[in-house]
């Protein structure tokens, strides 16, 4: 049974989950503690769950009613396999297999709470956000179809397609539009601002009633060694560093903009920086010992903010 809320508490709760590949294990550590705090599935706690890339996988599974432990089991099974793949084609194929197994035939009409899955249109260079509720539509309501008629499996694959390390993802909407998509992190690696915009402008919630939990994936030192030859490793490392730098700049920019526009909304951001060499990792990590450590760090990050989280969500 869910923890009872304070009398008169009618807050609209938003959960926003950053992108970050394998570093989503950190997010799972945070979410495990939030779930335990409420003693129920997070689809019963949050009214709107937004996610980008790895956050879209976690968020969609939460919205479908999965527990954090169930999601963690899926991550342990599939993430190392995907991240071990060397070529973009192999990574995308492994992601497709995982998404099909995890989501099966789930559609955007099946979710138990509001969702937003962020991807990026490659050709138009604009966001494409998959949603399940017509009230979240910003225009074109007459032609609204949940998730544009695209399956959840395809939508999250698009959101996770960190080109050029993954192939671009082509989807076909119910309107017959063929759209080429890449990782949502290129437009909103931290999707909190988009989620708030949906709540305020789409769902017409009062700003004073919103409560937002924004969960990142942590910031870590870069790995310093590899099985590759030195030249190949240097080139690979520079490419990964560029991608991660791009995503981190996007993340910080979106959060700064959120503070400027919606600074009055009660929001907590959970994403710590870890500087010790043993924490070195990147979004393509596949060592389960390291991934388990990230999950532990997520739990510790929650612990440092537990009182504040309780005040925001339970007050």
């Amino acid at each position: 049974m869910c923890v009872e809320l304070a009398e008169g508490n009618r807050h609209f709760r938003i959960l926003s989950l950053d992108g970050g590949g394998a570093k989503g294990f950190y997010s799972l550590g945070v979410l495990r503690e939030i779930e335990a705090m409420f003693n129920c599935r997070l689809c019963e706690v949050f009214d709107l769950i937004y996610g980008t890339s790895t956050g879209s996988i976690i968020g969609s599974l939460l919205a479908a009613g999965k527990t954090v432990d169930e999601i963690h089991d899926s991550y342990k099974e599939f993430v190392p396999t995907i991240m071990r793949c060397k070529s973009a084609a192999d990574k995308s194929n492994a992601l497709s297999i995982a998404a099909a197994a995890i989501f099966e035939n789930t559609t955007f009409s099946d979710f138990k709470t509001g969702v937003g899955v962020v991807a990026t249109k490659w050709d138009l260079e604009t966001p494409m956000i998959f949603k399940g509720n017509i009230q979240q539509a910003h225009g074109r309501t007459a032609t609204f179809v949940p998730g544009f008629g695209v399956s959840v499996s395809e939508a999250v694959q698009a959101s996770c397609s960190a080109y050029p390390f993954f192939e671009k993802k082509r989807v076909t909407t119910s309107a017959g539009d063929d759209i080429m998509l890449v990782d949502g992190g290129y437009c909103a690696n931290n999707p909190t601002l988009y989620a708030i915009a949906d709540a305020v402008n789409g769902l017409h919630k009062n700003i004073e009633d919103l409560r937002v939990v924004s969960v990142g994936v942590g910031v870590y030192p870069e790995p310093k060694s590899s099985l590759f030859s030195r030249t190949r490793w240097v080139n690979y490392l520079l490419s990964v560093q560029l991608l991660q730098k791009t995503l981190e700049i996007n993340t910080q920019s979106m959060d700064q903009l959120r503070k400027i526009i919606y600074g009055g909304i009660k929001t907590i951001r959970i994403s710590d920086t870890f500087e010790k060499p043993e924490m070195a990792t990147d979004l393509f990590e596949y060592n389960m010992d390291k991934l388990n450590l990230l999950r532990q760090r997520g739990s510790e990050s929650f612990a440092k903010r537990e009182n504040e989280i309780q005040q925001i969500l339970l007050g």
Side-chain angles (χ1 to χ4, degrees):
M1 180 179 294
C2 276
V3 171
E4 292 187 7
L5 301 173
E7 186 175 352
N9 185 324
R10 297 180 181 176
H11 298 149
F12 186 88
R13 293 175 188 79
I14 296 172
L15 175 63
S16 174
L17 302 171
D18 284 14
K23 294 184 292 184
F25 275 83
Y26 172 91
S27 307
L28 291 174
V30 176
L31 296 170
R32 175 179 60 179
E33 303 299 331
I34 296 177
E35 184 181 73
M37 184 175 72
F38 278 94
N39 193 34
C40 64
R41 296 169 191 263
L42 293 183
C43 65
E44 301 176 56
V45 174
F46 291 98
D47 303 287
L48 180 61
I49 301 177
Y50 249 74
T52 296
S53 197
T54 194
S56 76
I57 300 176
I58 297 170
S60 294
L61 289 170
L62 291 175
K66 297 294 185 181
T67 67
V68 176
D69 279 347
E70 288 172 331
I71 300 171
H72 181 230
D73 287 342
S74 294
Y75 263 56
K76 288 189 295 182
E77 179 179 359
F78 291 109
V79 168
T81 300
I82 295 169
M83 297 311 179
R84 280 193 182 96
C85 295
K86 294 298 186 288
S87 71
D90 287 345
K91 275 188 170 68
S92 291
N93 183 60
L95 175 62
S96 176
I97 292 170
I102 293 170
F103 291 103
E104 297 180 327
N105 297 318
T106 303
T107 71
F108 279 82
S109 297
D110 295 328
F111 288 127
K112 303 177 186 299
T113 192
V115 295
V117 171
V118 182
T120 305
K121 293 181 181 179
W122 175 255
D123 294 316
L124 299 181
E125 301 172 345
T126 56
M128 182 170 184
I129 305 178
F130 298 86
K131 308 173 183 181
N133 186 345
I134 191 172
Q135 290 182 286
Q136 293 173 251
H138 300 272
R140 295 190 294 177
T141 57
T143 57
F144 178 85
V145 175
F148 301 101
V150 173
S151 70
V152 175
S153 173
E154 288 185 302
V156 298
Q157 288 176 62
S159 184
C160 293
S161 293
Y163 182 79
F165 296 95
F166 287 76
E167 293 183 324
K168 297 185 285 289
K169 176 67 177 178
R170 182 182 297 277
V171 301
T172 302
T173 69
S174 58
D177 296 326
D178 289 328
I179 304 175
M180 189 69 75
L181 298 170
V182 294
D183 198 291
Y186 288 116
C187 62
N189 199 56
N190 171 357
T192 307
L193 188 60
Y194 286 174
I196 293 174
D198 266 13
V200 173
N201 299 317
L203 300 169
H204 304 294
K205 301 299 178 181
N206 296 322
I207 286 178
E208 58 269 23
D209 292 332
L210 300 187
R211 299 293 184 271
V212 181
V213 177
S214 175
V215 182
V217 296
V219 179
Y220 310 90
E222 297 289 347
K224 299 300 182 183
S225 62
S226 173
L227 297 176
F228 295 151
S229 67
R230 179 171 176 79
T231 300
R232 184 182 177 194
W233 168 244
V234 169
N235 291 335
Y236 172 82
L237 180 61
L238 288 175
S239 298
V240 174
Q241 286 177 333
L242 177 59
L243 174 59
Q244 294 204 141
K245 180 66 71 175
T246 299
L247 297 180
E248 185 59 27
I249 291 171
N250 180 291
T251 295
Q252 298 300 334
S253 298
M254 292 294 285
D255 199 50
Q256 187 175 45
L257 190 59
R258 188 267 307 168
K259 292 175 183 177
I260 293 171
I261 299 175
Y262 294 117
I265 295 176
K266 291 188 177 180
T267 302
I268 183 165
R269 172 76 177 162
I270 309 171
S271 188
D272 286 334
T273 297
F274 303 93
E275 298 178 348
K276 292 184 178 181
E278 61 266 27
M279 291 302 300
T281 190
D282 60 33
L283 71 167
F284 298 116
E285 183 65 67
Y286 54 79
N287 182 309
M288 275 306 307
D289 289 337
K290 183 63 66 66
L291 296 175
N292 284 330
L293 186 58
L294 298 190
R295 184 168 177 251
Q296 294 170 40
R297 291 292 183 260
S299 294
E300 292 169 4
S301 293
F302 167 90
K304 291 193 294 186
R305 298 168 177 80
E306 185 170 5
N307 290 338
E308 186 179 356
I309 295 170
Q310 288 179 339
Q311 290 174 4
I312 286 180
L313 294 178
L314 295 174

